[in-house]
Amino acid sequence: MPDFPTSHVKLRKVVNSLLGSDDLVGKFWRVEHIATAIYNSSAISVESSVLSAELKTAYGVGDVNTEEVANTTHVVFAKKTRDGRNTTRVTYVGRFESIESAESADSNYNPPRNINMSEEDSGLLNAFLLMRQQKKQKRQNSKKKTTNEPKKTTAPSQRKRKKPEESEEEQQKRKKNQEREKEMADLRAQRHRHEIKVSDLYEKKKKVEEELAKIRLEVAEIEEKLGEKSTCSVPTGDDGDGRTLYYIKGGRIGKFQYDGGVIFPDDIANNYEPYPEGYGDEEQHEKNRMKRTYKAHSHGSSQYWLPPGAMSEAKNQHGKKEDAHTKVHNLGALFSGKQMSLEDEHLSILAAISFCV
């Protein structure tokens, strides 16, 4: 009879010890059922199919194999047989008191029950299965390396053909394409950085708005505690104190005292001057005010805004013009014929004299 494989001595030692229990001794058991019973007892950390394949190798060299159990009179008997006419041969194994009792024993077609394995046998079995899996993985990796290595061919049909030399025009075209691809890559990178910056700005804006909302709530709570209902969070003051803020917004003017800090939209909206007489908040008037533009003017060291079409001048200059206008008006009234009458010839001489003065 052929011998069992020496590579599975440790596995057979554990299983042979297991088959010596009162419930299993003297019977043939299918190796697949033994693997399932061991797996169900939570003695191994791999699938039962892995252990079943190893048991087939451990007990399946020839049609009939035997092995003596050390320190006992028992023998382990393994055989291959068919469960039916058209089925494949399966491996059965059992532990018996003698070869004669094994030859007369029947095959058990039901899985064994009540398998109890010691911690020592469980550790040996798991260590053996782990070693076998590592060897299998190592063989697979070495096989992959050999299959992935490129085959060296010297056939003329498989030799690399030299690329035809490019013309100067083709070289320039290829160079331009490469430069264009590089520019596109740079633009994509810039766009990505810009999107990140924009998202950061939106986040900062959101945080600022949240902080402003908190400040408004705090101001409202303080005013409520003080019993004041102010229409403006910044008190108004007198002109000329250097702290009055004058402003133009949407064609309307306003002012309020500014002591520093945050200016809220309510500060602007609640301190407008009244509408001009005859120009209220009608839609057409609002449109005209919103379209109005302004230009900077100066009065000494100060500056101010005026819309195109309007002009300003110093008060003393304006007084001089009014005085000159009054003199011309009086002079015309004097010689108009109502107060004094002169001939046309004399009037022309008088006018010429006035222009020369």
Side-chain angles (χ1 to χ4, degrees):
M1 296 181 183
D3 296 328
F4 290 119
T6 57
S7 60
H8 288 64
V9 172
K10 294 181 180 179
L11 176 60
R12 283 197 304 276
K13 181 179 179 182
V14 174
V15 177
N16 292 346
S17 175
L18 185 65
L19 292 174
S21 63
D22 296 337
D23 295 333
L24 303 180
V25 70
K27 300 175 184 178
F28 276 112
W29 301 96
R30 189 170 173 176
V31 292
E32 291 89 342
H33 293 168
I34 296 173
T36 302
I38 294 174
Y39 176 78
N40 292 336
S41 67
S42 302
I44 58 175
S45 57
V46 297
E47 297 293 334
S48 61
S49 58
V50 177
L51 178 58
S52 176
E54 296 296 341
L55 288 175
K56 288 179 182 179
T57 304
Y59 292 102
V61 173
D63 293 338
V64 177
N65 280 4
T66 60
E67 183 179 48
E68 294 181 356
V69 180
N71 301 324
T72 66
T73 59
H74 289 187
V75 294
V76 174
F77 198 96
K79 65 177 182 179
K80 287 185 178 180
T81 183
R82 298 181 188 274
D83 288 341
R85 179 180 299 178
N86 297 323
T87 58
T88 58
R89 294 198 304 172
V90 294
T91 303
Y92 285 86
V93 64
R95 178 170 170 171
F96 305 92
E97 294 180 356
S98 64
I99 295 178
E100 290 76 13
S101 62
E103 291 175 349
S104 61
D106 295 329
S107 300
N108 195 332
Y109 299 106
N110 297 318
R113 298 178 181 178
N114 302 325
I115 284 189
N116 294 319
M117 184 176 291
S118 64
E119 292 184 2
E120 182 181 358
D121 290 343
S122 177
L124 289 173
L125 182 58
N126 281 302
F128 173 80
L129 294 174
L130 178 62
M131 178 194 68
R132 292 288 298 174
Q133 286 182 323
Q134 289 175 350
K135 287 184 178 180
K136 186 178 179 180
Q137 185 66 34
K138 190 174 181 180
R139 287 195 301 270
Q140 290 177 351
N141 292 338
S142 61
K143 189 180 292 185
K144 285 181 180 179
K145 288 181 180 180
T146 56
T147 54
N148 291 334
E149 289 180 357
K151 296 181 179 180
K152 295 181 180 180
T153 57
T154 56
S157 59
Q158 295 182 357
R159 291 177 183 169
K160 292 184 179 180
R161 295 181 179 179
K162 292 183 178 180
K163 294 182 178 180
E165 295 183 359
E166 293 181 343
S167 62
E168 185 177 353
E169 183 179 354
E170 291 175 345
Q171 290 178 357
Q172 292 179 356
K173 187 176 181 180
R174 180 168 54 82
K175 188 176 180 181
K176 287 182 180 179
N177 291 335
Q178 291 176 352
E179 293 176 353
R180 191 179 294 109
E181 290 176 359
K182 185 178 180 181
E183 290 176 358
M184 292 299 295
D186 293 340
L187 288 175
R188 284 192 291 267
Q190 291 177 7
R191 179 182 177 184
H192 180 67
R193 290 194 296 269
H194 176 71
E195 289 175 353
I196 293 175
K197 289 181 180 179
V198 171
S199 62
D200 292 342
L201 290 175
Y202 277 118
E203 289 295 330
K204 291 180 180 178
K205 180 183 177 183
K206 187 177 179 181
K207 290 181 181 178
V208 171
E209 291 176 349
E210 291 175 355
E211 292 297 328
L212 288 176
K214 291 179 182 178
I215 293 172
R216 291 191 183 96
L217 288 175
E218 292 176 358
V219 171
E221 290 175 358
I222 293 171
E223 290 179 347
E224 187 176 357
K225 289 179 181 179
L226 296 175
E228 299 176 355
K229 292 185 178 179
S230 175
T231 58
C232 177
S233 61
V234 183
T236 58
D238 298 331
D239 296 347
D241 58 1
R243 293 181 298 174
T244 303
L245 179 65
Y246 299 88
Y247 60 91
I248 301 174
K249 184 177 182 297
R252 297 194 62 186
I253 61 172
K255 65 179 180 178
F256 60 84
Q257 186 178 358
Y258 178 64
D259 293 328
V262 179
I263 298 176
F264 296 107
D266 292 344
D267 301 332
I268 303 295
N270 295 330
N271 288 283
Y272 284 127
E273 293 292 327
Y275 286 107
E277 186 176 354
Y279 298 94
D281 57 354
E282 290 81 3
E283 182 179 0
Q284 186 59 40
H285 297 158
E286 288 293 338
K287 287 182 179 180
N288 293 338
R289 280 190 283 264
M290 294 301 294
K291 291 189 297 183
R292 183 71 66 191
T293 58
Y294 299 90
K295 290 185 177 181
H297 289 258
S298 60
H299 182 75
S301 60
S302 303
Q303 291 181 302
Y304 54 94
W305 298 101
L306 277 180
M311 61 178 295
S312 65
E313 58 184 349
K315 190 174 182 181
N316 57 348
Q317 295 294 331
H318 184 70
K320 290 180 180 180
K321 289 182 179 180
E322 285 186 345
D323 291 342
H325 174 74
T326 302
K327 289 180 181 179
V328 171
H329 178 75
N330 293 338
L331 185 62
L334 178 62
F335 295 103
S336 62
K338 296 179 180 179
Q339 298 181 16
M340 182 177 179
S341 178
L342 291 175
E343 294 182 359
D344 293 340
E345 182 180 357
H346 296 160
L347 289 175
S348 60
I349 294 172
L350 184 61
I353 294 172
S354 299
F355 278 116
C356 293
V357 175

Short mmCIF file of all heavy atoms in Angstrom, two decimals, residues 56-104:
data_model
loop_
_atom_site.label_atom_id
_atom_site.label_comp_id
_atom_site.label_asym_id
_atom_site.label_seq_id
_atom_site.Cartn_x
_atom_site.Cartn_y
_atom_site.Cartn_z
N LYS A 56 -8.31 15.82 1.54
CA LYS A 56 -8.26 14.95 0.37
C LYS A 56 -6.82 14.66 -0.02
O LYS A 56 -6.46 13.54 -0.40
CB LYS A 56 -9.00 15.59 -0.80
CG LYS A 56 -10.51 15.62 -0.64
CD LYS A 56 -11.16 16.29 -1.83
CE LYS A 56 -12.67 16.37 -1.65
NZ LYS A 56 -13.31 17.04 -2.82
N THR A 57 -5.98 15.69 0.08
CA THR A 57 -4.56 15.48 -0.23
C THR A 57 -3.88 14.61 0.84
O THR A 57 -3.04 13.76 0.53
CB THR A 57 -3.85 16.83 -0.34
OG1 THR A 57 -4.52 17.65 -1.30
CG2 THR A 57 -2.40 16.67 -0.74
N ALA A 58 -4.24 14.84 2.10
CA ALA A 58 -3.59 14.13 3.20
C ALA A 58 -3.90 12.63 3.18
O ALA A 58 -3.04 11.80 3.51
CB ALA A 58 -4.01 14.74 4.53
N TYR A 59 -5.14 12.26 2.78
CA TYR A 59 -5.55 10.85 2.85
C TYR A 59 -5.79 10.24 1.47
O TYR A 59 -6.30 9.12 1.38
CB TYR A 59 -6.83 10.72 3.68
CG TYR A 59 -6.65 11.03 5.13
CD1 TYR A 59 -7.06 12.24 5.67
CD2 TYR A 59 -6.07 10.10 5.99
CE1 TYR A 59 -6.89 12.52 7.02
CE2 TYR A 59 -5.91 10.37 7.35
CZ TYR A 59 -6.32 11.58 7.84
OH TYR A 59 -6.16 11.85 9.19
N GLY A 60 -5.46 10.88 0.39
CA GLY A 60 -5.89 10.40 -0.92
C GLY A 60 -4.81 10.12 -1.91
O GLY A 60 -4.92 10.57 -3.05
N VAL A 61 -3.76 9.37 -1.57
CA VAL A 61 -2.72 9.04 -2.55
C VAL A 61 -3.17 7.88 -3.42
O VAL A 61 -3.18 7.95 -4.64
CB VAL A 61 -1.39 8.72 -1.85
CG1 VAL A 61 -0.38 8.22 -2.85
CG2 VAL A 61 -0.86 9.97 -1.15
N GLY A 62 -3.54 6.75 -2.78
CA GLY A 62 -3.99 5.57 -3.53
C GLY A 62 -5.44 5.26 -3.26
O GLY A 62 -6.15 6.01 -2.59
N ASP A 63 -5.90 4.13 -3.79
CA ASP A 63 -7.29 3.73 -3.53
C ASP A 63 -7.48 3.35 -2.07
O ASP A 63 -8.54 3.60 -1.49
CB ASP A 63 -7.67 2.54 -4.42
CG ASP A 63 -7.71 2.93 -5.89
OD1 ASP A 63 -7.87 4.15 -6.15
OD2 ASP A 63 -7.58 2.06 -6.77
N VAL A 64 -6.47 2.70 -1.46
CA VAL A 64 -6.55 2.29 -0.06
C VAL A 64 -5.21 2.62 0.59
O VAL A 64 -4.15 2.24 0.09
CB VAL A 64 -6.86 0.78 0.08
CG1 VAL A 64 -6.84 0.39 1.56
CG2 VAL A 64 -8.19 0.45 -0.55
N ASN A 65 -5.27 3.32 1.73
CA ASN A 65 -4.07 3.68 2.48
C ASN A 65 -4.29 3.38 3.95
O ASN A 65 -5.43 3.51 4.46
CB ASN A 65 -3.73 5.17 2.32
CG ASN A 65 -3.03 5.45 1.02
OD1 ASN A 65 -2.86 4.55 0.20
ND2 ASN A 65 -2.62 6.70 0.83
N THR A 66 -3.23 2.99 4.65
CA THR A 66 -3.33 2.75 6.09
C THR A 66 -2.16 3.43 6.77
O THR A 66 -1.11 3.70 6.17
CB THR A 66 -3.31 1.25 6.41
OG1 THR A 66 -2.09 0.68 5.95
CG2 THR A 66 -4.50 0.54 5.78
N GLU A 67 -2.38 3.69 8.08
CA GLU A 67 -1.33 4.32 8.89
C GLU A 67 -1.57 3.96 10.34
O GLU A 67 -2.71 4.03 10.83
CB GLU A 67 -1.36 5.85 8.70
CG GLU A 67 -0.25 6.58 9.44
CD GLU A 67 -0.32 8.08 9.20
OE1 GLU A 67 -1.43 8.67 9.33
OE2 GLU A 67 0.73 8.68 8.88
N GLU A 68 -0.52 3.53 11.03
CA GLU A 68 -0.63 3.20 12.43
C GLU A 68 -0.64 4.48 13.26
O GLU A 68 0.03 5.45 12.94
CB GLU A 68 0.53 2.31 12.86
CG GLU A 68 0.53 0.93 12.21
CD GLU A 68 1.70 0.09 12.69
OE1 GLU A 68 2.54 0.62 13.48
OE2 GLU A 68 1.77 -1.08 12.28
N VAL A 69 -1.43 4.40 14.37
CA VAL A 69 -1.49 5.53 15.29
C VAL A 69 -0.46 5.31 16.37
O VAL A 69 -0.43 4.25 17.02
CB VAL A 69 -2.89 5.68 15.90
CG1 VAL A 69 -2.94 6.87 16.86
CG2 VAL A 69 -3.94 5.82 14.81
N ALA A 70 0.41 6.28 16.58
CA ALA A 70 1.51 6.13 17.54
C ALA A 70 0.97 5.88 18.94
O ALA A 70 -0.05 6.44 19.35
CB ALA A 70 2.38 7.37 17.51
N ASN A 71 1.70 5.01 19.68
CA ASN A 71 1.41 4.68 21.07
C ASN A 71 0.07 3.99 21.27
O ASN A 71 -0.50 4.01 22.38
CB ASN A 71 1.46 5.95 21.95
CG ASN A 71 2.82 6.64 21.89
OD1 ASN A 71 3.86 5.97 21.81
ND2 ASN A 71 2.80 7.97 21.91
N THR A 72 -0.52 3.46 20.18
CA THR A 72 -1.77 2.70 20.27
C THR A 72 -1.69 1.50 19.35
O THR A 72 -0.77 1.36 18.55
CB THR A 72 -2.98 3.56 19.86
OG1 THR A 72 -2.87 3.89 18.48
CG2 THR A 72 -3.06 4.83 20.70
N THR A 73 -2.71 0.61 19.45
CA THR A 73 -2.82 -0.52 18.52
C THR A 73 -3.75 -0.22 17.37
O THR A 73 -4.02 -1.09 16.55
CB THR A 73 -3.35 -1.76 19.29
OG1 THR A 73 -4.63 -1.44 19.86
CG2 THR A 73 -2.38 -2.16 20.39
N HIS A 74 -4.24 1.03 17.33
CA HIS A 74 -5.20 1.41 16.29
C HIS A 74 -4.49 1.71 14.97
O HIS A 74 -3.30 2.03 14.95
CB HIS A 74 -6.00 2.64 16.73
CG HIS A 74 -6.97 2.35 17.82
ND1 HIS A 74 -7.88 3.27 18.27
CD2 HIS A 74 -7.18 1.24 18.58
CE1 HIS A 74 -8.61 2.76 19.24
NE2 HIS A 74 -8.19 1.50 19.45
N VAL A 75 -5.27 1.61 13.90
CA VAL A 75 -4.80 2.00 12.57
C VAL A 75 -5.79 2.96 11.96
O VAL A 75 -6.98 2.95 12.28
CB VAL A 75 -4.63 0.76 11.66
CG1 VAL A 75 -3.53 -0.13 12.15
CG2 VAL A 75 -5.95 0.02 11.51
N VAL A 76 -5.26 3.85 11.09
CA VAL A 76 -6.11 4.76 10.31
C VAL A 76 -6.21 4.19 8.91
O VAL A 76 -5.19 3.89 8.27
CB VAL A 76 -5.55 6.19 10.30
CG1 VAL A 76 -6.36 7.07 9.37
CG2 VAL A 76 -5.56 6.78 11.71
N PHE A 77 -7.43 4.04 8.43
CA PHE A 77 -7.69 3.41 7.14
C PHE A 77 -8.38 4.42 6.24
O PHE A 77 -9.38 5.02 6.64
CB PHE A 77 -8.58 2.18 7.33
CG PHE A 77 -8.57 1.23 6.19
CD1 PHE A 77 -7.74 0.11 6.18
CD2 PHE A 77 -9.38 1.43 5.07
CE1 PHE A 77 -7.74 -0.79 5.13
CE2 PHE A 77 -9.36 0.56 4.02
CZ PHE A 77 -8.55 -0.55 4.03
N ALA A 78 -7.84 4.66 5.05
CA ALA A 78 -8.44 5.60 4.09
C ALA A 78 -8.72 4.87 2.79
O ALA A 78 -7.93 4.02 2.36
CB ALA A 78 -7.53 6.78 3.85
N LYS A 79 -9.86 5.17 2.17
CA LYS A 79 -10.21 4.52 0.90
C LYS A 79 -10.96 5.49 0.03
O LYS A 79 -11.55 6.47 0.50
CB LYS A 79 -11.06 3.28 1.17
CG LYS A 79 -12.42 3.59 1.79
CD LYS A 79 -13.26 2.34 1.98
CE LYS A 79 -14.63 2.68 2.57
NZ LYS A 79 -15.48 1.48 2.73
N LYS A 80 -10.95 5.21 -1.28
CA LYS A 80 -11.71 5.98 -2.26
C LYS A 80 -12.79 5.08 -2.83
O LYS A 80 -12.51 3.96 -3.26
CB LYS A 80 -10.81 6.49 -3.38
CG LYS A 80 -9.89 7.63 -2.96
CD LYS A 80 -9.12 8.17 -4.15
CE LYS A 80 -8.24 9.33 -3.74
NZ LYS A 80 -7.47 9.87 -4.88
N THR A 81 -14.01 5.55 -2.89
CA THR A 81 -15.12 4.77 -3.40
C THR A 81 -16.16 5.71 -3.98
O THR A 81 -16.07 6.93 -3.83
CB THR A 81 -15.76 3.92 -2.28
OG1 THR A 81 -16.80 3.11 -2.84
CG2 THR A 81 -16.33 4.80 -1.18
N ARG A 82 -17.18 5.12 -4.64
CA ARG A 82 -18.27 5.89 -5.24
C ARG A 82 -19.52 5.74 -4.38
O ARG A 82 -19.86 4.63 -3.94
CB ARG A 82 -18.57 5.41 -6.67
CG ARG A 82 -17.40 5.57 -7.63
CD ARG A 82 -17.80 5.08 -9.02
NE ARG A 82 -16.66 5.04 -9.91
CZ ARG A 82 -16.22 6.08 -10.63
NH1 ARG A 82 -16.85 7.24 -10.53
NH2 ARG A 82 -15.17 5.97 -11.41
N ASP A 83 -20.21 6.87 -4.19
CA ASP A 83 -21.47 6.80 -3.44
C ASP A 83 -22.61 6.32 -4.32
O ASP A 83 -23.64 5.86 -3.82
CB ASP A 83 -21.81 8.18 -2.87
CG ASP A 83 -20.88 8.53 -1.72
OD1 ASP A 83 -20.27 7.60 -1.17
OD2 ASP A 83 -20.78 9.73 -1.39
N GLY A 84 -22.45 6.44 -5.63
CA GLY A 84 -23.48 5.98 -6.57
C GLY A 84 -22.85 5.56 -7.87
O GLY A 84 -21.63 5.62 -8.06
N ARG A 85 -23.67 5.13 -8.83
CA ARG A 85 -23.14 4.61 -10.08
C ARG A 85 -22.45 5.69 -10.89
O ARG A 85 -21.37 5.47 -11.46
CB ARG A 85 -24.28 3.97 -10.89
CG ARG A 85 -23.85 3.40 -12.24
CD ARG A 85 -25.02 2.80 -12.99
NE ARG A 85 -25.59 1.68 -12.23
CZ ARG A 85 -26.67 1.01 -12.66
NH1 ARG A 85 -27.28 1.38 -13.77
NH2 ARG A 85 -27.14 0.00 -11.95
N ASN A 86 -23.05 6.84 -11.00
CA ASN A 86 -22.53 7.89 -11.89
C ASN A 86 -21.84 9.02 -11.13
O ASN A 86 -21.65 10.10 -11.68
CB ASN A 86 -23.68 8.47 -12.73
CG ASN A 86 -24.29 7.42 -13.65
OD1 ASN A 86 -23.57 6.58 -14.18
ND2 ASN A 86 -25.61 7.47 -13.82
N THR A 87 -21.50 8.79 -9.89
CA THR A 87 -20.84 9.86 -9.12
C THR A 87 -19.34 9.67 -9.15
O THR A 87 -18.82 8.59 -9.43
CB THR A 87 -21.33 9.84 -7.66
OG1 THR A 87 -21.04 8.55 -7.10
CG2 THR A 87 -22.82 10.10 -7.58
N THR A 88 -18.63 10.75 -8.83
CA THR A 88 -17.17 10.69 -8.75
C THR A 88 -16.76 10.02 -7.46
O THR A 88 -17.52 9.96 -6.49
CB THR A 88 -16.57 12.10 -8.82
OG1 THR A 88 -17.10 12.88 -7.74
CG2 THR A 88 -16.89 12.77 -10.13
N ARG A 89 -15.53 9.53 -7.43
CA ARG A 89 -15.05 8.85 -6.24
C ARG A 89 -14.76 9.86 -5.13
O ARG A 89 -14.27 10.96 -5.37
CB ARG A 89 -13.79 8.06 -6.56
CG ARG A 89 -14.04 6.90 -7.51
CD ARG A 89 -12.90 5.91 -7.47
NE ARG A 89 -11.61 6.55 -7.77
CZ ARG A 89 -10.45 5.90 -7.63
NH1 ARG A 89 -10.42 4.65 -7.19
NH2 ARG A 89 -9.32 6.52 -7.94
N VAL A 90 -15.09 9.46 -3.91
CA VAL A 90 -14.88 10.33 -2.75
C VAL A 90 -14.01 9.58 -1.77
O VAL A 90 -13.89 8.35 -1.78
CB VAL A 90 -16.22 10.72 -2.08
CG1 VAL A 90 -17.05 11.59 -2.99
CG2 VAL A 90 -16.99 9.47 -1.68
N THR A 91 -13.36 10.35 -0.88
CA THR A 91 -12.42 9.79 0.09
C THR A 91 -13.09 9.65 1.44
O THR A 91 -13.69 10.60 1.96
CB THR A 91 -11.18 10.69 0.22
OG1 THR A 91 -10.58 10.84 -1.06
CG2 THR A 91 -10.16 10.09 1.18
N TYR A 92 -12.97 8.40 2.02
CA TYR A 92 -13.45 8.11 3.37
C TYR A 92 -12.25 7.77 4.24
O TYR A 92 -11.29 7.14 3.78
CB TYR A 92 -14.44 6.94 3.37
CG TYR A 92 -15.81 7.29 2.83
CD1 TYR A 92 -16.08 7.24 1.48
CD2 TYR A 92 -16.82 7.66 3.71
CE1 TYR A 92 -17.34 7.55 1.00
CE2 TYR A 92 -18.09 7.98 3.24
CZ TYR A 92 -18.34 7.92 1.88
OH TYR A 92 -19.59 8.23 1.39
N VAL A 93 -12.32 8.12 5.51
CA VAL A 93 -11.24 7.83 6.45
C VAL A 93 -11.85 7.45 7.79
O VAL A 93 -12.91 7.98 8.17
CB VAL A 93 -10.27 9.02 6.58
CG1 VAL A 93 -10.97 10.22 7.17
CG2 VAL A 93 -9.05 8.66 7.41
N GLY A 94 -11.18 6.53 8.52
CA GLY A 94 -11.66 6.12 9.84
C GLY A 94 -10.54 5.55 10.66
O GLY A 94 -9.46 5.19 10.15
N ARG A 95 -10.79 5.45 11.97
CA ARG A 95 -9.80 4.88 12.90
C ARG A 95 -10.39 3.59 13.49
O ARG A 95 -11.51 3.61 14.02
CB ARG A 95 -9.49 5.90 14.00
CG ARG A 95 -8.50 5.40 15.03
CD ARG A 95 -8.08 6.55 15.91
NE ARG A 95 -7.31 6.08 17.07
CZ ARG A 95 -6.66 6.88 17.92
NH1 ARG A 95 -6.67 8.21 17.71
NH2 ARG A 95 -6.01 6.39 18.96
N PHE A 96 -9.59 2.53 13.38
CA PHE A 96 -10.10 1.21 13.76
C PHE A 96 -9.07 0.52 14.65
O PHE A 96 -7.89 0.87 14.68
CB PHE A 96 -10.37 0.36 12.51
CG PHE A 96 -11.31 1.04 11.54
CD1 PHE A 96 -10.82 1.83 10.50
CD2 PHE A 96 -12.69 0.91 11.68
CE1 PHE A 96 -11.68 2.45 9.62
CE2 PHE A 96 -13.55 1.53 10.79
CZ PHE A 96 -13.05 2.30 9.75
N GLU A 97 -9.58 -0.56 15.35
CA GLU A 97 -8.70 -1.36 16.21
C GLU A 97 -7.77 -2.25 15.40
O GLU A 97 -6.68 -2.61 15.86
CB GLU A 97 -9.54 -2.20 17.17
CG GLU A 97 -10.33 -1.36 18.17
CD GLU A 97 -11.15 -2.21 19.11
OE1 GLU A 97 -11.17 -3.45 18.92
OE2 GLU A 97 -11.77 -1.64 20.03
N SER A 98 -8.21 -2.64 14.17
CA SER A 98 -7.37 -3.49 13.32
C SER A 98 -7.79 -3.30 11.88
O SER A 98 -8.85 -2.75 11.58
CB SER A 98 -7.49 -4.96 13.72
OG SER A 98 -8.83 -5.40 13.51
N ILE A 99 -6.94 -3.82 10.97
CA ILE A 99 -7.27 -3.72 9.54
C ILE A 99 -8.48 -4.58 9.23
O ILE A 99 -9.33 -4.22 8.40
CB ILE A 99 -6.05 -4.13 8.70
CG1 ILE A 99 -4.90 -3.13 8.92
CG2 ILE A 99 -6.42 -4.20 7.22
CD1 ILE A 99 -3.64 -3.48 8.17
N GLU A 100 -8.62 -5.73 9.91
CA GLU A 100 -9.75 -6.61 9.65
C GLU A 100 -11.07 -5.93 10.00
O GLU A 100 -12.05 -6.03 9.27
CB GLU A 100 -9.60 -7.90 10.47
CG GLU A 100 -8.51 -8.83 10.01
CD GLU A 100 -7.13 -8.34 10.43
OE1 GLU A 100 -7.06 -7.41 11.29
OE2 GLU A 100 -6.12 -8.85 9.90
N SER A 101 -11.10 -5.20 11.12
CA SER A 101 -12.33 -4.49 11.48
C SER A 101 -12.62 -3.35 10.51
O SER A 101 -13.78 -3.02 10.25
CB SER A 101 -12.23 -3.95 12.91
OG SER A 101 -11.15 -3.02 13.01
N ALA A 102 -11.58 -2.77 9.92
CA ALA A 102 -11.79 -1.70 8.95
C ALA A 102 -12.38 -2.24 7.67
O ALA A 102 -13.24 -1.60 7.04
CB ALA A 102 -10.48 -0.98 8.67
N GLU A 103 -11.94 -3.42 7.25
CA GLU A 103 -12.43 -3.99 5.99
C GLU A 103 -13.90 -4.37 6.08
O GLU A 103 -14.60 -4.41 5.07
CB GLU A 103 -11.59 -5.20 5.62
CG GLU A 103 -10.16 -4.83 5.21
CD GLU A 103 -9.30 -6.06 4.95
OE1 GLU A 103 -9.76 -7.18 5.30
OE2 GLU A 103 -8.17 -5.90 4.43
N SER A 104 -14.39 -4.68 7.29
CA SER A 104 -15.80 -5.07 7.44
C SER A 104 -16.69 -3.90 7.84
O SER A 104 -17.90 -4.06 7.99
CB SER A 104 -15.90 -6.17 8.50
OG SER A 104 -15.42 -5.70 9.75
#
